[in-house]
C-alpha cells in the first residue's frame, strides 16, 4: 500500500472494497502483547491513517490463541528500573512520557476520521481491551474464551491506555468498577447487554461482520466525542466511588495502592473532557508505576508464576520447595504466638487462619510499608523482628537458587504461604 508505514508487529491487508485490515501478529510469539515496539508501530499507523484513502479499518488478531493478552510485563519491570534511575524530580515526567505513547496512539486512531471496527476472537485483556475500546465498533465471537478484561489491578497497576476513562463512559461506572478493580471479565451476551460489544457472532464470522459495519458508512466518532454526549451514572457517581473506596480500604487495609489509584482516575477523569481525562489517568499512572508494590507484584505474581510453571513442567528442583518451607517456619504466621504479633501479621496483610479480621485503622501506606510507618507500636516491632529473621533465612538460600528459582520461590511464598503480594516475597530481592 503506497505510503503506508512499514510494520513488523502488525501487518496490513487491503481488501478490494477499500477496507484495510490491521492484523496484530507479533513475530515469534504465540500471543500478542503490547510491547514497546508494538506501541511505536501503532502510533505510526494512526498518524498515517487520516491521510489514507481507505474506507475504514478492521482490527483483528493474526493469532489463533487470543486477540491480545495485554502489556509486556517483562518490559514494565525494565521501565521501572529506568524511571527510578532518573533524578527524583524528573521521575514523574519520565514515566508519563514513556507510558503515554499507547494512550496517544489509541486516541489518534479513534479520531482519525475513519470508521474502525475490531473483531475479537479470544481474550482481549489489559492493553488488548483498551485497543478494542478505542475502536468505534466491537464484534465478539460467541465462545467462552472471547472476553474483555482489565486485570492490571491484580499486578498492582491501573489501565494506562485510557481504560479507566473509556470503559465507564461506555458502560457506566457501576458496571465498569468490577472490571477495573476486581479483574472481572465480560464476554458473549453479557458484553452485548452492557454495551461493551456491538455484535455477537459465531466463531469465524467476526471479521466479515466487522467489515460489513465499516462499509455501511457509519459515523467515525466515539460517543464521548459527540456534541450531545452525556455521562452515564452522573447522579449516583460520587456515591458509587465513595462506597467502593470504603470497601477497598476494608479489604486491603491500605496496603494496595492500585485500586485506590483506579478510583482516583475515575473520580477525577470522568467529569473531564476526554483529552484531559486521559492525561489525568496517565499522571496517576506515572505515580503508581514508581511504587514498590507494583514492582513486587509484577515480579512475583507474573514473572514468578511463569518461572514456577516452567520449572514445574521441566522438573522443579526440590530446593525451591525446601527453601519456601524453611522461611515459612521462621515466619511462623500460623504458629503459636502472642496477641500483639498475631494482630500485626493480620494488619500487615498476611493470610492468617483465624476468624478475627483486622479493621482498617485509617492509615494508607505511603512511601514506607505499614510496619515501618508511624506510629511505632510494640506489635510492629515484633513483626519487623520476625520479618528480619525470615529475610536472613531467605538470604541463606539465595546462593543456592538461580534467579528464576528465587522468583518461583517468592510466588510460592505468596500464593501458598500467605505472604502479602504487595511485599513481593523474600527470595528475589528481600523487602527493600
Amino acid at each position: 500500500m503506497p505510503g503506508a508505514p512499514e510494520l513488523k508487529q502488525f501487518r496490513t491487508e487491503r481488501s478490494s472494497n477499500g477496507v484495510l485490515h490491521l492484523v496484530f501478529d507479533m513475530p515469534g510469539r504465540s500471543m500478542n502483547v503490547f510491547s514497546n515496539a508494538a506501541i511505536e508501530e501503532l502510533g505510526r499507523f494512526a498518524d498515517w491513517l487520516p491521510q489514507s484513502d481507505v474506507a475504514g479499518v478492521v482490527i483483528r488478531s493474526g493469532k489463533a490463541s487470543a486477540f491480545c493478552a495485554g502489556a509486556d510485563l517483562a518490559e514494565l519491570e525494565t521501565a521501572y528500573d529506568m524511571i527510578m534511575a532518573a533524578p527524583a524530580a524528573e521521575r514523574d515526567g519520565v514515566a508519563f512520557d514513556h507510558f503515554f505513547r499507547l494512550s496517544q496512539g489509541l486516541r489518534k486512531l479513534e479520531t482519525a476520521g475513519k470508521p474502525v471496527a475490531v473483531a475479537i476472537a479470544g481474550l482481549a485483556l489489559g492493553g488488548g481491551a483498551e485497543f478494542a475500546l478505542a475502536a468505534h465498533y466491537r464484534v465478539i465471537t460467541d465462545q467462552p474464551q472471547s472476553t474483555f478484561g482489565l486485570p492490571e489491578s491484580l499486578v498492582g497497576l491501573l489501565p494506562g491506555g485510557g481504560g479507566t476513562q473509556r470503559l465507564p463512559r461506555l458502560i457506566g461506572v457501576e458496571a465498569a468498577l468490577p472490571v477495573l478493580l476486581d479483574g472481572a471479565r465480560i464476554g458473549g451476551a453479557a458484553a452485548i447487554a452492557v454495551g461493551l460489544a456491538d455484535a455477537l457472532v459465531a466463531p469465524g464470522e467476526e471479521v466479515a461482520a466487522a467489515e460489513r459495519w465499516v462499509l455501511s458508512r457509519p459515523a467515525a466518532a466515539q460517543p464521548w466525542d459527540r456534541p450531545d454526549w452525556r455521562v452515564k451514572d452522573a447522579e449516583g457517581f460520587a456515591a458509587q466511588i465513595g462506597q467502593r473506596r470504603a470497601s477497598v480500604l476494608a479489604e486491603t487495609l491500605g496496603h494496595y495502592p492500585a485500586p485506590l489509584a483506579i478510583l482516583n482516575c475515575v473520580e477525577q477523569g470522568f467529569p473531564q473532557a476526554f483529552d484531559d481525562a486521559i492525561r489525568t489517568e496517565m499522571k496517576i499512572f506515572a505515580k503508581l508505576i514508581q511504587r514498590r508494590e507494583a514492582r513486587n507484584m509484577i515480579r512475583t505474581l507474573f514473572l514468578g508464576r511463569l518461572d514456577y510453571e516452567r520449572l514445574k513442567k521441566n522438573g522443579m528442583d526440590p530446593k525451591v520447595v525446601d527453601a519456601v518451607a524453611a522461611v515459612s517456619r521462621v515466619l511462623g504466621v500460623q504458629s503459636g504466638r502472642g496477641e500483639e504479633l498475631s494482630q500485626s501479621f493480620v494488619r500487615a496483610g498476611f493470610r492468617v487462619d483465624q476468624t478475627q479480621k483486622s479493621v482498617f485503622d485509617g492509615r494508607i501506606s505511603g512511601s514506607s510499608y505499614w510496619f515501618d510507618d508511624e506510629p511505632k507500636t510494640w506489635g510492629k516491632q515484633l513483626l519487623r523482628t520476625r520479618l528480619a529473621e525470615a529475610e536472613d533465612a531467605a538470604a541463606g538460600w539465595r546462593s543456592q537458587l538461580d534467579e528464576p528459582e528465587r522468583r518461583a520461590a517468592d510466588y510460592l511464598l505468596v500464593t501458598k504461604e500467605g505472604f502479602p503480594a504487595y511485599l513481593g516475597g523474600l527470595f528475589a530481592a528481600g523487602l527493600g
Side-chain angles (χ1 to χ4, degrees):
M1 182 185 304
E6 182 180 346
L7 306 175
K8 295 181 180 179
Q9 311 304 312
F10 298 85
R11 67 175 186 273
T12 55
E13 299 174 358
R14 188 164 185 171
S15 300
S16 58
N17 54 22
V19 175
L20 177 67
H21 289 232
L22 180 65
V23 185
F24 198 177
D25 195 7
M26 299 183 75
R29 302 285 290 260
S30 62
M31 190 173 291
N32 295 319
V33 295
F34 264 115
S35 63
N36 291 325
I39 291 169
E40 191 273 333
E41 288 189 6
L42 177 62
R44 287 197 285 115
F45 175 83
D47 284 333
W48 166 83
L49 185 59
Q51 288 77 44
S52 73
D53 63 351
V54 302
V57 178
V58 169
I59 302 168
R60 60 182 173 88
S61 173
K63 309 293 186 187
S65 55
F67 175 68
C68 174
D72 188 328
L73 291 183
E75 286 189 352
L76 283 181
E77 187 171 32
T78 301
Y80 172 88
D81 293 337
M82 174 195 71
I83 293 163
M84 300 311 290
E90 300 176 11
R91 289 172 188 166
D92 288 0
V94 171
F96 188 103
D97 292 342
H98 180 79
F99 288 105
F100 196 52
R101 295 171 303 144
L102 176 58
S103 205
Q104 286 177 308
L106 295 177
R107 185 63 175 149
K108 290 176 183 177
L109 182 70
E110 69 182 4
T111 58
K114 305 285 186 179
V116 178
V118 61
I120 303 294
L123 296 174
L125 300 180
E130 291 177 302
F131 196 9
L133 287 168
H136 305 111
Y137 190 80
R138 285 162 292 280
V139 181
I140 188 169
T141 57
D142 189 9
Q143 52 190 147
Q145 60 266 43
S146 292
T147 57
F148 297 92
L150 293 167
E152 284 85 350
S153 67
L154 304 182
V155 288
L157 293 173
L158 63 86
T164 69
Q165 304 307 312
R166 288 187 179 89
L167 189 66
R169 283 167 170 77
L170 189 66
I171 68 176
V173 172
E174 184 176 2
L177 288 181
V179 180
L180 292 168
L181 296 174
D182 307 326
R185 298 183 185 182
I186 303 177
I192 296 291
V194 79
L196 183 52
D198 299 286
L200 181 66
V201 300
E205 298 180 7
E206 66 278 3
V207 176
E211 193 169 272
R212 283 195 300 272
W213 180 83
V214 169
L215 292 172
S216 71
R217 299 183 181 277
Q222 295 285 25
W224 43 86
D225 288 325
R226 296 169 186 163
D228 61 348
W229 166 247
R230 297 293 181 272
V231 299
K232 296 181 180 181
D233 299 353
E235 294 182 359
F237 166 67
Q240 291 170 8
I241 296 296
Q243 290 169 2
R244 286 310 300 262
R245 183 173 282 112
S247 175
V248 164
L249 288 172
E251 292 171 5
T252 69
L253 303 177
H255 297 307
Y256 293 84
L260 298 173
I262 289 170
L263 289 171
N264 289 342
C265 285
V266 178
E267 183 175 44
Q268 297 174 30
F270 198 46
Q272 295 178 321
F274 194 80
D275 287 302
D276 294 329
I278 57 174
R279 294 188 71 85
T280 293
E281 175 190 81
M282 184 46 58
K283 288 177 183 177
I284 294 172
F285 181 96
K287 294 283 190 184
L288 183 64
I289 192 65
Q290 299 175 51
R291 297 286 302 238
R292 292 178 293 177
E293 295 90 346
R295 175 205 63 185
N296 293 342
M297 294 174 74
I298 291 170
R299 180 181 293 158
T300 302
L301 297 180
F302 176 71
L303 299 176
R305 176 178 59 82
L306 294 180
D307 289 327
Y308 171 75
E309 291 173 351
R310 184 166 50 248
L311 290 169
K312 187 176 180 181
K313 180 179 179 180
N314 297 330
M316 180 82 70
D317 190 323
K319 287 188 299 186
V320 175
V321 176
D322 292 343
V324 173
V327 170
S328 182
R329 283 194 298 271
V330 173
L331 275 170
V333 177
Q334 310 297 347
S335 63
R337 58 196 176 277
E339 184 66 17
E340 290 264 11
L341 180 57
S342 175
Q343 280 302 304
S344 291
F345 268 125
V346 175
R347 178 59 184 83
F350 286 78
R351 189 171 67 245
V352 177
D353 294 334
Q354 64 175 40
T355 57
Q356 185 177 0
K357 183 179 180 181
S358 184
V359 177
F360 177 59
D361 62 7
R363 302 189 68 82
I364 298 174
S365 295
S367 58
S368 61
Y369 296 131
W370 171 81
F371 45 82
D372 288 327
D373 197 10
E374 296 292 344
K376 304 296 184 184
T377 65
W378 179 236
K380 284 184 178 181
Q381 180 59 48
L382 293 172
L383 176 60
R384 286 197 301 271
T385 299
R386 187 64 63 86
L387 287 172
E389 293 169 351
E391 194 162 10
D392 287 344
W397 285 91
R398 284 187 196 129
S399 61
Q400 303 179 52
L401 306 174
D402 62 23
E403 186 175 356
E405 288 173 333
R406 291 194 292 269
R407 288 195 297 255
D410 281 334
Y411 174 75
L412 285 175
L413 194 64
V414 168
T415 58
K416 303 298 184 183
E417 301 296 335
F419 198 85
Y422 74 91
L423 294 177
L426 295 171
F427 292 97
L431 294 178

